[in-house]
């Protein structure tokens, strides 16, 4: 229970920030931002309730959220089985960290954003180079102004064996003059990661470790590498919710942390202001783009990832809002912040704290949760299939055999796959079990959609009918989950998998149904 509790504490301002610039807060514990009651920072408890009410009405699946005002965490929520100490899979929010690495490298004189990209890739250049390729600069990669007509990431990820992704990128046509046309291009972010590694001999993660992660207390940060040993740059970073908030606060403080200027203000300013037009101010992605940062409709900027990971920075309100979710309606998710929370962060009056209301809010946040689907807890079939092994014909998922074991409170399924040690997942009967559950890396029964790392897994099981066992799983360090519908018919076991995104969209899963037979 402790791991899912919300630590919202009232802290006297004078004990922490006395004598400091109000725009900068020093954390006593590097791993924690200071906490405060909302009213002490000019936000009512009622406003926080309204924000969470809007989340509940939205139908979007929030996993965590944190609100920071004046450098203090004034509210934070974790919907169980998600918890504060878990890492969170970042999709394109990772790009903003790659941008930070470029800024630090420029600060150290290792590169300049005005440098031409081909300078760093002489060994993998195409024989014939277009004028647009020759004029492509690092800043064009940063601002998504490469000039390509489509995102390159899917193409470079399918590079032939032995062909560097950078070589594939540089061989693609650049139809427009660099810097003139915005096109979201994750391949550009990968190239930024490549540049860092080529000039330093270290991955972006290794480069950022002593310069950003350690000073900010982001000890759990990990970043997946591709087959060449290069961080993806565009995605695959994993950090905690508090790390997301600290990153936003670091930018809000213009690159300063605990009294030290880590990244110069000039780069912060360039990265978070409009470098290229990307729309007509008519949607959340149409207010301009900086150096791997989006501009917010009501002001400020954000690091932004697919399915809804955000670190939103509002300088005029001296506030940061973070969200981690599996949201299919990102515009709706962000709209909750723009329309509901942001106006409350913008108020100048200082409300009076109400201890009773603060306690009510804390209780509400402590009890946020997602219940697993509810089914019958037991079936008469269990005694016949308990500890029976089902073998599978060769299949694309590499599954060799499964075995189910039933006890009073749990269901365990053991999996054998080709190429990796056997493993098991323990499911609570209509409740989540996390302890001891880990989804292995991508070669597994579970969905492989960019979940190419192991993850803590919360699992629950119940009987939809007397012969159909439903298993629900949430891969806690990812945005996603999986559902396995297991039907037992005599000596035959049929498993139909369904990825959480397809489930939410009402679409079929791309994986084929598995059919096994009792040994």
């Amino acid at each position: 229970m402790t791991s899912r509790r919300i630590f919202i504490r009232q802290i006297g301002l004078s004990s922490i920030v006395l004598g400091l610039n109000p725009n900068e807060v020093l954390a006593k514990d590097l791993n924690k931002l200071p906490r405060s009651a909302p009213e002490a920072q000019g936000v009512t408890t009622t406003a926080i309730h309204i924000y969470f009410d809007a989340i509940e009405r939205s139908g979007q699946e929030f996993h965590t959220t944190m609100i920071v005002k004046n450098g203090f965490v004034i509210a934070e929520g974790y919907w169980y089985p998600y918890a504060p100490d878990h890492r969170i899979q970042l999709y394109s929010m990772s790009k903003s960290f790659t941008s930070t690495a470029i800024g630090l490298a420029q600060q150290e004189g290792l590169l300049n954003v005005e440098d031409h990209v081909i300078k760093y890739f002489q060994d993998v250049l195409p024989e014939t180079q277009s004028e647009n390729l020759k004029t492509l600069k690092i800043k064009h990669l940063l601002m998504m102004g490469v000039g390509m007509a489509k995102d390159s990431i899917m193409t470079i990820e399918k590079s032939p064996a032995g062909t560097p992704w950078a070589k594939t990128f540089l061989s693609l046509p650049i139809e427009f003059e660099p810097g003139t046309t915005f096109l979201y291009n994750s391949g550009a972010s990968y190239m930024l990661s490549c540049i860092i590694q080529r000039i330093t001999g270290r991955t972006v993660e290794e480069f950022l470790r002593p310069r950003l992660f350690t000073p900010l207390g982001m000890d759990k940060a990990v970043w997946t590498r591709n087959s060449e040993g290069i961080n993806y740059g565009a995605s695959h970073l994993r950090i905690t919710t508090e790390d997301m908030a600290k990153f936003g606060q670091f930018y809000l403080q213009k690159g300063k942390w605990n009294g030290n200027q880590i990244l110069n203000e000039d780069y912060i300013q360039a990265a978070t202001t409009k470098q290229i037009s990307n729309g007509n101010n008519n949607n959340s992605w149409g207010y301009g783009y900086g150096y791997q940062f989006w501009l917010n409709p009501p002001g400020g900027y954000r690091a932004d990832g697919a399915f809804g990971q955000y670190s939103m920075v509002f300088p005029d309100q001296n506030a940061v809002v973070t969200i981690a979710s599996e949201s299919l309606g990102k515009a709706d998710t962000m709209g909750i912040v723009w329309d509901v929370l942001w106006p409350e962060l913008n108020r100048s009056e200082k409300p009076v704290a109400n201890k009773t209301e603060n306690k009510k809010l804390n209780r509400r946040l402590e009890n946020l949760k997602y219940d697993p689907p509810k089914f019958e807890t037991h079936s008469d079939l269990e005694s016949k299939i308990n500890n029976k092994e089902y073998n599978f014909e060769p299949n694309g998922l590499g599954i060799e055999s499964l075995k189910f074991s039933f006890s009073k409170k749990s269901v365990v399924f053991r999996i054998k796959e080709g190429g990796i040690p056997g493993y098991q997942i323990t499911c609570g009967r209509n409740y989540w079990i996390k302890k001891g559950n880990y989804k292995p890396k991508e070669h597994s029964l579970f969905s492989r959609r960019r979940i190419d790392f192991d993850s803590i897994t919360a699992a629950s099981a119940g009987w939809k009918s007397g012969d159909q066992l439903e298993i629900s799983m949430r891969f806690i360090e990812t945005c996603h989950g999986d559902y396995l519908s297991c039907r037992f018919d005599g000596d035959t076991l049929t498993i139909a998998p369904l990825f959480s995104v397809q489930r939410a969209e009402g679409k079929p899963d791309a994986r084929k149904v598995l059919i096994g037979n009792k040994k």
Side-chain angles (χ1 to χ4, degrees), residues 357-390:
E357 290 303 313
N358 288 158
K359 288 180 179 179
K360 287 181 180 179
L361 176 61
N362 291 351
R363 283 196 298 271
R364 176 181 187 175
L365 299 184
E366 287 176 358
N367 289 290
L368 295 172
K369 62 179 180 177
Y370 285 117
D371 290 323
K374 293 294 192 290
F375 302 103
E376 293 296 322
T377 56
H378 293 79
S379 168
D380 293 339
L381 188 61
E382 291 177 18
S383 61
K384 297 180 181 179
I385 61 176
N386 189 46
N387 286 319
K388 302 299 182 183
E389 190 168 15
Y390 292 84

Side-chain angles (χ1 to χ4, degrees), residues 263-489:
L263 179 57
N264 64 71
E265 290 189 28
D266 288 346
Y267 188 83
I268 297 281
Q269 178 69 16
T272 60
T273 53
K274 185 176 179 178
Q275 296 291 337
I276 192 169
S277 178
N278 60 357
N280 298 312
N281 295 0
N282 55 359
N283 64 69
S284 293
W285 295 273
Y287 281 75
Y289 195 78
Y291 286 166
Q292 310 279 284
F293 284 88
W294 298 87
L295 274 62
N296 298 323
Y301 49 89
R302 69 184 183 276
D304 178 327
F307 299 102
Q309 309 102 50
Y310 306 105
S311 184
M312 302 175 174
V313 182
F314 302 102
D316 290 346
Q317 290 70 40
N318 202 22
V320 175
V321 178
T322 71
I323 296 170
S325 67
E326 187 183 46
S327 171
L328 300 185
K330 288 184 61 180
D332 295 333
T333 299
M334 287 190 284
I336 296 171
V337 178
W338 312 151
D339 301 334
V340 176
L341 181 59
W342 180 82
E344 299 299 328
L345 299 175
N346 205 34
R347 298 185 187 279
S348 58
E349 65 270 19
K350 192 170 183 177
V352 178
N354 183 313
K355 290 184 178 180
T356 300
E357 290 303 313
N358 288 158
K359 288 180 179 179
K360 287 181 180 179
L361 176 61
N362 291 351
R363 283 196 298 271
R364 176 181 187 175
L365 299 184
E366 287 176 358
N367 289 290
L368 295 172
K369 62 179 180 177
Y370 285 117
D371 290 323
K374 293 294 192 290
F375 302 103
E376 293 296 322
T377 56
H378 293 79
S379 168
D380 293 339
L381 188 61
E382 291 177 18
S383 61
K384 297 180 181 179
I385 61 176
N386 189 46
N387 286 319
K388 302 299 182 183
E389 190 168 15
Y390 292 84
N391 293 327
F392 293 82
E393 294 295 324
N395 55 80
L397 299 179
I399 304 301
E400 295 178 351
S401 69
L402 269 77
K403 181 189 293 186
F404 293 85
S405 300
F406 300 90
S407 63
K408 185 177 180 180
K409 292 186 177 181
S410 65
V411 177
V412 178
F413 67 99
R414 297 175 174 84
I415 305 170
K416 289 183 181 179
E417 299 181 28
I420 66 173
Y423 60 96
Q424 68 180 44
I425 300 291
T426 303
C427 310
R429 292 186 184 259
N430 284 344
Y431 72 96
W432 299 115
I433 288 180
K434 288 193 290 184
K435 186 176 181 180
N437 283 345
Y438 289 88
K439 179 196 80 68
K441 293 187 178 180
E442 70 271 23
H443 302 291
S444 69
L445 168 64
F446 310 121
S447 178
R448 305 177 187 183
R449 281 188 49 176
R450 295 193 180 274
I451 309 176
D452 48 2
F453 48 85
D454 56 357
S455 172
I456 298 168
T457 299
S460 173
W463 290 92
K464 188 173 183 179
S465 64
D467 63 356
Q468 187 170 338
L469 180 68
E470 298 290 325
I471 296 173
S472 304
M473 290 170 290
R474 289 178 181 267
F475 307 136
I476 298 300
E477 297 187 60
T478 83
C479 310
H480 308 303
D482 239 343
Y483 300 85
L484 304 178
S485 183
C486 308
R487 185 179 293 278
F488 300 86
D489 183 10

Side-chain angles (χ1 to χ4, degrees), residues 5 27 38 74 95 102 117 149 171 188 192 195 205 218 224 266 279 356 368 396 437 461 478 495 504:
R5 287 199 177 277
I74 60 172
K95 292 178 170 70
I102 292 292
V117 171
S171 70
L192 295 169
I195 290 171
E205 177 189 353
M218 299 169 67
T224 305
D266 288 346
T356 300
L368 295 172
N437 283 345
T478 83
I495 299 180

Side-chain angles (χ1 to χ4, degrees), residues 15 20 37 49 80-81 95 136 143 191 200 238 270 355 368 378 515:
S15 65
L20 295 178
H49 278 295
Y80 188 80
K95 292 178 170 70
L136 180 66
M143 70 174 68
M191 294 296 285
T200 68
R238 285 180 287 158
K355 290 184 178 180
L368 295 172
H378 293 79
I515 299 176

